Amino acid sequence: MPELPEVETVKSVIAPQITGLKIKEICVRTPGIIAHPGPEKFVRRLTGQKVSGMSRRGKFLTIRTECGDRIVLHLRMTGCLLVTPGKAAEECGEKDRKKYCEEYPEEKHTHLIFRLSEEKEGVQKELRFSDMRRFGRFWLLRDGEEDTYTGMEKLGLEPEDKELTAEYLRAHFGKSRKAVKTCLLDQSVIAGIGNIYADEILFTAGIHPARPANSLLADEWESLAEVIPERIAYFIEKNRITPEEYLETKGQDYRNTPYLQAYGHEGERCPVCGNAFCRMVVGGRGSTCCPRCQKSE
Ligand SMILES: [Zn+2]
């Protein structure tokens, strides 16, 4: 599942390719992925609008239009955005789409396509959304419309927010008997951390994932407040990829796998102490940790 660093990558690859383009046509293959306001209204309202930019909040992406509307989307488990390269508009009329698709075949499980073009005669591209598991969702919020739909309003601080301090973490989790890992996954307190980066953060901080949050000491909260933004920034940096590389791998292979130290390394040696990583279930989620480096009390 894409977490904050991956969603940030998607944004930085896709945004420059679609900003300034006009939405010429929208093809909804799977109406169920449009969560609000329904596929027909979604298409009618957006057709003809111009994309003005893109932003990320937690694991949500927002595509903005010039008139102030926002297309909010969440990739969930397997959602993927892809921009296919531009073609001169005259080569890419309706009858030539077949030819275009021969060159840039649609991914399996493509549910939504935005056909984009420059305002005058010019390049045409497609922004395609594919999703094997079909959990990904789109919402359209009209200019000024209150967001009571997406859940984005309920998100907590971004990891890099200066207000994410040891005091902030302790105020939210300090009395909780829940496992500290479960706390890190609480999107209403910190936005964007999922299973993978929670394991990485706790490994770097030297804290066992199953520790009840109320057992953490002052210096451990300090350490977490320091490690959370540091690790997230590190993985965003390691995730950098060019649009060409992204297209080459169909947006599927930009993950931080080679840089993960704990996640997915069960049974292998810890790079710090040489002991074997072990795997356990914490709060229903598979977790990897080093029993020697990550103190359980
Ligand atoms: Zn270790």
Side-chain angles (χ1 to χ4, degrees):
M1 175 167 177
E3 299 181 25
L4 191 159
E6 288 79 24
V7 179
E8 183 66 28
T9 303
V10 173
K11 186 202 80 184
S12 44
V13 167
I14 303 291
Q17 300 188 80
I18 64 169
T19 301
L21 300 187
K22 195 172 161 186
I23 301 171
K24 212 175 124 191
E25 196 184 345
I26 302 171
C27 174
V28 183
R29 299 263 169 77
T30 310
I33 65 159
I34 314 284
H36 172 77
E40 278 131 48
K41 282 185 183 163
F42 185 91
V43 170
R44 203 176 332 129
R45 174 82 185 177
L46 286 169
T47 304
Q49 291 210 49
K50 198 169 170 185
V51 175
S52 63
M54 204 169 167
S55 57
R56 179 198 57 73
R57 175 84 172 91
K59 302 178 210 169
F60 288 87
L61 288 168
T62 301
I63 299 171
R64 292 169 199 284
T65 70
E66 268 187 350
C67 81
D69 288 358
R70 290 158 292 158
I71 306 164
V72 179
L73 65 127
H74 198 298
L75 302 170
R76 298 269 164 74
M77 305 290 283
T78 54
C80 178
L81 285 178
L82 208 59
V83 177
T84 52
K87 276 267 182 179
E90 63 272 17
E91 291 173 36
C92 206
E94 196 53 56
K95 61 176 185 277
D96 290 322
R97 184 160 190 273
K98 212 175 143 213
K99 215 171 109 194
Y100 184 77
C101 282
E102 273 165 21
E103 202 168 341
Y104 307 109
E106 278 178 27
E107 290 308 283
K108 266 188 193 170
H109 314 290
T110 295
H111 304 300
L112 184 60
I113 300 172
F114 294 87
R115 299 184 71 190
L116 305 165
S117 68
E118 279 179 8
E119 210 153 13
K120 292 174 192 158
E121 288 306 296
V123 189
Q124 179 167 303
K125 295 176 182 174
E126 289 188 357
L127 173 66
R128 297 173 180 170
F129 174 73
S130 61
D131 188 358
M132 192 179 70
R133 303 281 296 272
R134 286 196 200 192
F135 291 131
R137 287 293 176 272
F138 284 73
W139 297 264
L140 167 63
L141 301 166
R142 299 163 73 117
D143 185 27
E145 183 176 356
E146 197 190 344
D147 180 6
T148 54
Y149 307 97
T150 68
M152 199 161 57
E153 296 299 318
K154 294 181 188 137
L155 291 177
L157 297 178
E158 290 285 319
E160 71 270 27
D161 195 312
K162 292 275 175 285
E163 287 176 32
L164 200 151
T165 58
E167 291 73 52
Y168 175 84
L169 293 173
R170 203 161 38 197
H172 284 89
F173 302 134
K175 292 194 172 115
S176 175
R177 282 187 226 154
K178 283 185 187 158
V180 61
K181 174 165 175 179
T182 306
C183 293
L184 292 185
L185 300 177
D186 183 345
Q187 302 295 303
S188 71
V189 179
I190 315 166
I193 298 174
N195 204 34
I196 297 174
Y197 298 108
D199 276 5
E200 293 299 309
I201 287 163
L202 290 167
F203 174 67
T204 304
I207 299 167
H208 195 281
R211 283 266 301 277
N214 63 8
S215 76
L216 264 64
L217 306 172
D219 64 330
E220 291 174 313
W221 290 117
E222 290 291 346
S223 167
L224 269 183
E226 205 174 293
V227 166
I228 290 168
E230 184 279 323
R231 284 289 86 187
I232 295 296
Y234 170 83
F235 285 112
I236 288 174
E237 187 54 39
K238 289 294 179 197
N239 242 350
R240 287 196 190 284
I241 182 170
T242 65
E244 292 75 25
E245 290 167 322
Y246 183 91
L247 183 68
E248 180 87 5
T249 57
K250 305 288 179 211
Q252 294 293 341
D253 192 24
Y254 55 88
R255 307 291 160 87
N256 273 309
T257 324
Y259 305 102
L260 299 174
Q261 289 189 296
Y263 182 86
H265 288 280
E266 56 270 14
E268 295 171 27
R269 284 180 185 281
C270 164
V272 178
C273 73
N275 226 36
F277 277 112
C278 63
R279 187 187 145 88
M280 72 203 66
V281 175
V282 178
R285 311 295 300 269
S287 307
T288 309
C289 70
C290 170
R292 190 177 290 174
C293 294
Q294 295 172 258
K295 298 272 158 49
S296 54
E297 51 189 56

